[in-house]
């Protein structure tokens, strides 16, 4: 086929459809219809003949396009520019890659074989004022989103104003309705106010379609055109489901009120399409505030179900578009803005009850309230722990209208976690200090570090250590610790000092306490003092440490205790067996006693020898008194050394007179004994003779009244 088959080849208008141009080509070449040269485009495997003339606007046959270019004398790029594929950059969904063709460096995009009716209609609308300028069909008149003419500020028409018949390309080319011969240029379309939102939408859409610079800043998201158009489509569908009396609908002045309650019907009039698209445009302008206003209004649409939950509050917008159709990464900005709305303007319990927090965990961290289960996940514990913290008063339960759940404040949970950050477990504290768990537990017992009480709302029922107390403990050690490696020949490690002085009860806690109190200068190779086992001391400092500790604590060993009490080792063990004496430190055979306890014991108890000396009798006489039952040792009658209570001995001696005292109170001993016998006073026991003091005193008084001397 050569170009000489066409006598005339008029140039297409800039925005003319391919079908409209083909009709003009046919008329200029004296043909009744473009159908006469379609066979020239046919080739093996071609579908040109089967798709119909109107489908030429979305022709996808590469060979047919090439032959049409040869036939008309225009390039493939020019032919492509007059097909619907010219808008492929705007109409292709973000989740579908564009099909391209062309062997040259510049490839041309294709729309899908069956484009969605949401973006393309086989029939077209038209503007009478545009036809008065030139009789041809504009490419954008086939798009449902185009409902008005931005150049002339009027609504488009989709039928003959006189007979209501559809208008075709033939009618447009002739300028008359093919049914009633009405002159199309004389139609009077409804005007649109110059500042109306619908004209703003139309201007923006034309800029998107023909890729011209934007002429006004409407606060739209800085995203690709196809993304914005698909967001606009979703908002339009949501507006269709809002109901006729939704007060957020945008209805320009000067038109009959359209029927916007069209949830079941999908064939929209030109006015319905314009109003719904302008309403959707309200949600896209001034992003994200316009989107927030759209969502706020949508929650109170008249058709909303009285039940609660995001599915009922936001309906198809939440379930279909945000939840399913806008999941592609290109729509992340919508998802993030929607999360912002949920976190700042929706009741927290509605968001928690939805599945959205599972897909967007970051949303959970922005909600003011969480239920018991989500609270447990948020702070990393089980639900039972959350309930325990509630019972103990560390968390407050909140209740909301239309929700039977129990809700916790995320702010309180954050504060709880901040407190928990200062709590570390016993094994963690041990690893941090570089010592064993047993040593760490001993540090707690010595109060060098502080345990966290359960009343502070601990995370688990385990022992926690206050991080602040660890820091304070290390700072206290640093005041008396020099940073220096153990390079001294007489340097002694902390572990070795513990082993040397274990008999004095000097373990890790005691030595560390002495360092912190400034009693024991120490060294460490690291500024952090970790691990504590790397602490070391000069040999001269710790050489006499045991003796110093013993003197500080006023302790006596076994030998010193024997000397202080004047007892033998056997009697000393008897004291210990009776519980009268207890060692304050025992390490193997070594035992130490508190000096104060020894002195108190010496003042209170006496051995047999000391008791005999106190009564001024012999030890044999003392034992005779014990056997007779006059004296009862504090140690009882069991075999072994006897121990006597000094106070009891004094009290007993105050009631009884023993031979030495009896001999000292009378000049004539024999006369005194005769007087005692004459008065029938007999000793309680003999050898030694023991009398009751009151009886002896009575006899003495009686005898002294009768004679001057007994």
């Amino acid at each position: 086929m050569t170009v000489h088959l066409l006598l005339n080849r008029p140039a297409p208008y800039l925005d003319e459809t391919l079908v409209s141009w083909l009709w003009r080509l046919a008329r200029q070449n004296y043909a009744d219809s473009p159908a006469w040269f379609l066979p020239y485009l046919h080739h093996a495997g071609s579908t040109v003949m089967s798709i119909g003339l109107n489908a030429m606007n979305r022709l996808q046959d590469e060979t047919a396009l090439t032959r049409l270019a040869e036939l008309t004398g225009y390039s493939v790029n020019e032919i492509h520019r007059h097909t619907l594929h010219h808008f492929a950059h705007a109409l292709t969904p973000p989740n579908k890659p564009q099909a391209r063709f062309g062997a040259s460096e510049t490839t041309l995009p294709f729309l899908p074989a069956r484009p969605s009716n949401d973006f393309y209609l086989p029939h077209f609308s038209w503007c009478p004022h545009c036809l008065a300028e030139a009789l041809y069909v504009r490419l954008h008149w086939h798009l449902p989103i185009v409902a008005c003419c931005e150049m002339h500020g009027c609504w488009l028409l989709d039928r003959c104003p006189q007979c209501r018949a559809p208008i075709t390309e033939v009618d447009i080319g002739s300028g008359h309705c093919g049914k009633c011969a009405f002159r199309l240029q004389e139609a009077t379309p409804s005007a649109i106010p110059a500042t109306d939102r619908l004209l703003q939408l139309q201007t923006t859409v034309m800029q998107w379609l023909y890729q011209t610079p934007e002429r006004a800043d409407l606060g739209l998201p800085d995203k690709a055109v196809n993304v914005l158009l698909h967001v606009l489509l979703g908002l339009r569908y949501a507006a269709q489901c809002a109901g006729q009396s939704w007060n957020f609908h945008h209805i320009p002045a000067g038109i009959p009120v359209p029927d916007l309650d069209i949830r079941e019907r999908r064939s929209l009039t030109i006015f319905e399409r314009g109003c719904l698209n302008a309403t959707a445009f309200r949600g896209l302008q001034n992003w994200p505030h316009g989107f927030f206003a759209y969502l706020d209004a949508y929650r109170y649409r008249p058709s909303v179900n009285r039940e609660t939950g995001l599915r009922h509050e936001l309906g198809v917008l939440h379930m279909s578009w945000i939840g399913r159709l806008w999941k592609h990464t290109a729509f992340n900005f919508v998802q993030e803005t929607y999360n912002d709305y949920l976190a700042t303007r929706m009741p927290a319990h509605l968001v928690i009850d939805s599945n959205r927090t599972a897909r967007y965990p970051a949303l959970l961290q922005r909600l003011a309230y969480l239920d018991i289960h989500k609270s447990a996940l948020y702070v990393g514990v089980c639900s039972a722990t959350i309930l325990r913290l509630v019972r103990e008063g560390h968390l407050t339960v909140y209740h909301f209208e239309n929700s039977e759940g129990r809700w916790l404040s995320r702010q309180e949970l954050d504060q709880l976690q901040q407190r928990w950050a200062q709590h570390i477990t016993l094994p963690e504290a041990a690893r941090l200090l570089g010592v064993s768990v047993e040593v760490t537990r001993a540090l707690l017992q010595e109060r060098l570090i502080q345990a966290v009480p359960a009343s502070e709302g601990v995370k688990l029922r385990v022992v926690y250590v206050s991080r602040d107390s660890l820091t304070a403990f290390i700072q206290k050690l640093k005041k008396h610790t020099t940073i220096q490696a153990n390079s001294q020949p007489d340097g002694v490690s902390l572990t070795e000092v513990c082993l040397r002085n274990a008999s004095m009860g000097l373990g890790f806690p005691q030595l560390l306490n002495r360092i912190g109190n400034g009693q024991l200068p120490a060294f460490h190779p690291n500024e952090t003092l970790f691990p504590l086992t790397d602490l070391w001391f000069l040999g001269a400092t710790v050489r006499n440490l045991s003796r110093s500790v013993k003197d500080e604590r006023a302790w006596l060993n076994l030998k010193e205790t024997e000397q202080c009490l004047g007892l033998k080792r056997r009697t000393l063990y008897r004291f210990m067996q009776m519980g009268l004496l207890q060692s304050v430190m025992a390490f193997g055979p070594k035992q130490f006693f508190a000096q104060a306890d020894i002195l108190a014991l010496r003042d209170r108890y006496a051995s047999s020898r000391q008791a005999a000396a106190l009564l001024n009798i012999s030890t044999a006489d003392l034992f005779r008194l014990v056997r007779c039952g006059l004296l009862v040792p504090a140690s009882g009658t069991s075999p072994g050394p006897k121990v006597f209570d000094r106070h009891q001995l004094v009290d007993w001696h105050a009631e009884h007179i023993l031979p030495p005292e009896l001999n000292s109170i009378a000049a004539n001993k024999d006369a005194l004994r005769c007087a005692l016998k004459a008065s029938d006073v007999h000793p309680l026991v003999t050898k030694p003779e023991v009398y009751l003091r009151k009886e002896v005193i009575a006899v003495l008084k009686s005898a002294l009244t009768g004679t001057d001397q007994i």
Side-chain angles (χ1 to χ4, degrees):
M1 180 63 62
T2 65
V3 297
H4 300 293
L5 290 177
L6 294 180
L7 297 176
N8 300 304
R9 295 186 299 277
Y13 292 103
L14 186 64
D15 55 352
E16 187 175 12
T17 66
L18 180 58
V19 174
S20 176
W21 182 45
L22 291 178
W23 274 102
R24 289 200 302 113
L25 280 173
R27 286 194 297 269
Q28 291 288 329
N29 287 277
Y30 311 102
D32 294 334
S33 169
W36 72 270
F37 56 75
L38 288 183
Y40 294 101
L41 308 181
H42 181 69
H43 60 92
S46 173
T47 58
V48 172
M49 299 298 294
S50 62
I51 64 175
L53 183 61
N54 288 335
M56 292 294 292
N57 284 333
R58 49 187 176 88
L59 178 63
Q60 285 190 312
D61 194 312
E62 300 178 26
T63 303
L65 280 171
T66 303
R67 291 187 178 183
L68 183 59
E70 295 173 352
L71 176 66
T72 60
Y74 291 91
S75 67
V76 173
N77 287 24
E78 181 69 19
I79 302 297
H80 178 273
R81 196 161 66 88
H82 296 282
T83 65
L84 188 63
H85 307 302
H86 183 57
F87 300 145
H89 69 282
L91 304 184
T92 304
N95 58 344
K96 293 183 179 180
Q98 288 183 351
R100 311 185 75 86
F101 79 98
S104 61
E105 294 182 359
T106 303
T107 59
L108 302 175
F110 271 168
L111 282 171
R114 294 184 178 276
S116 170
N117 289 338
D118 294 317
F119 295 112
Y120 172 77
L121 293 175
H123 57 275
F124 57 87
S125 303
W126 48 279
C127 172
H129 302 300
C130 290
L131 295 183
E133 297 174 359
L135 294 173
Y136 69 92
V137 179
R138 278 65 173 172
L139 185 60
H140 53 271
W141 285 351
H142 279 279
L143 303 185
I145 197 172
V146 177
C148 67
C149 179
E150 55 130 2
M151 296 180 60
H152 301 104
C154 64
W155 288 87
L156 298 182
L157 301 176
D158 55 356
R159 291 180 178 272
C160 173
Q162 183 168 294
C163 67
R164 306 304 299 166
I167 300 300
T168 65
E169 283 85 354
V170 178
D171 300 334
I172 295 294
S174 65
H176 296 83
C177 173
K179 185 175 181 180
C180 68
F182 177 79
R183 183 175 171 81
L184 301 179
Q185 298 93 320
E186 297 178 356
T188 305
S190 299
I192 302 176
T195 58
D196 194 85
R197 191 183 306 273
L198 182 59
L199 282 181
Q200 293 179 348
L201 167 63
Q202 186 62 61
T203 302
T204 303
V205 168
M206 294 297 289
Q207 294 167 1
W208 289 348
L209 294 175
Y210 292 101
Q211 303 185 58
T212 58
E214 295 184 5
R215 287 170 280 180
D217 184 10
L218 302 178
L220 302 176
D222 186 16
K223 301 299 177 181
V225 172
N226 63 333
V227 175
L228 297 181
L229 274 176
H230 278 77
V231 173
L232 199 64
L233 174 65
L235 296 177
R236 192 211 79 186
Y237 264 111
Q240 287 181 223
C241 300
Q244 175 71 22
S245 57
W246 187 34
N247 57 11
F248 199 74
H249 279 303
H250 178 79
I251 303 176
I255 64 170
V257 178
D259 180 11
L260 300 179
D261 192 5
I262 44 181
R263 286 171 287 175
E264 300 300 330
R265 183 161 54 90
R266 290 295 180 261
S267 179
L268 308 179
T269 66
I270 194 75
F271 292 126
E272 291 169 350
R273 285 194 278 116
C275 292
L276 290 173
N277 285 323
T279 302
F281 197 57
R282 295 183 66 179
L284 205 58
Q285 284 183 284
N286 193 24
W287 188 271
H289 306 291
F291 186 61
F292 280 14
Y294 185 99
L295 295 176
D296 283 338
Y298 202 73
R299 291 177 56 197
Y300 299 101
R301 63 197 184 280
S303 61
V304 68
N305 194 306
R306 293 188 178 274
E307 298 182 34
T308 59
L310 295 184
R311 294 168 61 91
H312 300 284
E313 294 269 343
L314 296 166
V316 67
L317 193 62
H318 171 79
M319 293 183 291
S320 297
W321 292 95
I322 294 177
R324 183 168 56 88
L325 299 176
W326 288 342
K327 293 180 67 174
H328 189 268
T329 55
F331 299 106
N332 283 348
F333 76 102
V334 179
Q335 301 289 352
E336 292 170 1
T337 305
Y338 186 58
N339 286 342
D340 292 341
Y341 179 82
L342 296 180
T344 57
R345 301 201 181 186
M346 289 293 290
H349 67 276
L350 295 183
V351 183
I352 289 292
D353 288 341
S354 71
N355 295 326
R356 189 166 182 83
T357 53
R359 296 199 304 270
Y360 298 94
L363 177 60
L364 193 65
Q365 302 179 6
R366 304 180 58 187
L367 299 178
Y369 297 92
L370 304 174
D371 62 9
I372 298 295
H373 177 66
K374 291 294 193 304
S375 298
L377 294 177
Y378 182 70
V379 298
V381 297
C382 63
S383 299
T385 298
I386 294 294
L387 295 175
R388 172 180 64 82
L389 293 171
V390 170
R391 290 195 303 270
E392 294 175 356
H394 302 291
L395 293 173
T396 304
V397 174
Y398 298 89
H399 298 277
F400 296 100
E401 187 178 358
N402 299 325
S403 175
E404 297 179 356
R406 292 173 293 177
W407 304 91
L408 305 178
S409 168
R410 191 172 63 84
Q411 182 180 6
E412 292 183 13
L413 293 173
D414 289 339
Q415 293 173 353
L416 191 64
Q417 284 186 302
Q418 291 175 2
R419 295 203 301 269
W420 286 350
Q422 301 301 317
H423 304 170
I424 56 177
T425 62
L426 202 61
E428 290 173 346
R431 286 193 296 270
L432 182 62
L433 297 174
V435 296
S436 66
V437 174
E438 289 73 16
V439 170
T440 308
R441 188 175 285 109
L443 293 176
L444 285 174
Q445 294 174 351
E446 293 291 329
R447 299 184 181 276
L448 298 180
I449 57 178
Q450 302 298 322
V452 179
S455 60
E456 290 293 322
V458 292
K459 186 175 184 179
L460 300 173
R461 295 288 193 175
V462 297
V463 177
Y464 285 95
V465 179
S466 169
R467 191 182 296 272
D468 291 339
S469 71
L470 281 180
T471 303
F473 174 55
I474 296 300
Q475 292 300 323
K476 188 176 180 180
L477 294 178
K478 283 184 176 181
K479 293 180 180 179
H480 308 286
T481 302
T482 304
I483 306 304
Q484 179 181 334
N486 188 3
S487 58
Q488 300 295 327
D490 62 339
V492 185
S493 68
L494 177 64
T495 303
E496 187 175 352
V497 174
C498 288
L499 293 175
R500 290 182 182 180
N501 300 277
S503 60
M504 294 300 299
L506 290 180
F508 272 77
Q510 290 74 27
L511 290 173
L512 293 174
N513 189 32
R514 295 181 73 83
I515 295 173
N517 293 335
Q519 298 173 289
L520 189 60
F523 299 85
H524 199 283
N526 299 320
E527 183 70 28
T528 60
L529 299 191
F530 296 139
L532 293 180
T533 50
D534 285 349
L535 285 164
W536 61 280
F537 311 91
L538 294 176
T541 305
V542 296
R543 185 172 295 115
N544 297 319
L545 185 59
S546 292
R547 182 181 304 171
S548 300
V549 173
K550 177 174 169 294
D551 294 341
E552 291 173 5
R553 298 176 179 176
W555 285 358
L556 301 177
N557 57 25
L558 281 171
K559 186 175 182 180
E560 292 170 337
T561 302
E562 291 176 7
Q563 294 174 352
C564 181
L565 294 177
L567 304 176
K568 294 183 178 180
R569 184 70 56 87
R570 184 165 175 259
T571 306
L572 191 62
Y573 285 152
R574 181 64 172 169
F575 273 47
M576 295 174 64
Q577 183 180 6
M578 295 171 55
L580 302 177
L581 180 62
Q582 293 182 350
S583 60
V584 293
M585 175 60 62
F587 189 81
K590 292 186 177 181
Q591 296 190 66
F592 297 91
F593 306 91
Q595 186 175 10
D597 294 342
I598 299 302
L599 295 178
L601 183 66
R602 186 185 62 181
D603 294 340
R604 181 65 186 271
Y605 295 98
S607 63
S608 301
R609 181 174 54 81
Q610 293 171 338
L614 183 64
L615 296 178
N616 196 19
I617 59 177
S618 65
T619 305
D621 289 343
L622 180 70
F623 287 145
R624 235 179 253 115
L625 293 176
V626 171
R627 287 194 297 272
C628 293
L630 289 181
L631 279 178
V632 179
S635 58
T637 59
S638 58
K642 298 294 187 290
V643 178
F644 297 87
D645 188 314
R646 290 180 181 272
H647 298 109
Q648 291 181 359
L649 285 176
V650 171
D651 293 341
W652 184 86
H653 196 194
E655 295 180 1
H656 300 80
I657 291 182
L658 298 172
E661 188 178 0
L662 185 65
N663 295 334
S664 65
I665 63 175
N668 191 334
K669 303 174 187 177
D670 294 335
L672 177 59
R673 286 186 175 85
C674 291
L676 291 173
K677 291 179 179 179
S679 60
D680 294 329
V681 176
H682 303 286
L684 299 176
V685 295
T686 58
K687 295 184 180 181
E689 293 178 322
V690 179
Y691 295 88
L692 288 174
R693 181 176 296 275
K694 61 182 180 179
E695 293 181 351
V696 173
I697 297 302
V699 170
L700 283 176
K701 288 181 178 180
S702 175
L704 288 174
T705 56
T707 178
D708 293 338
Q709 185 177 6
I710 296 179

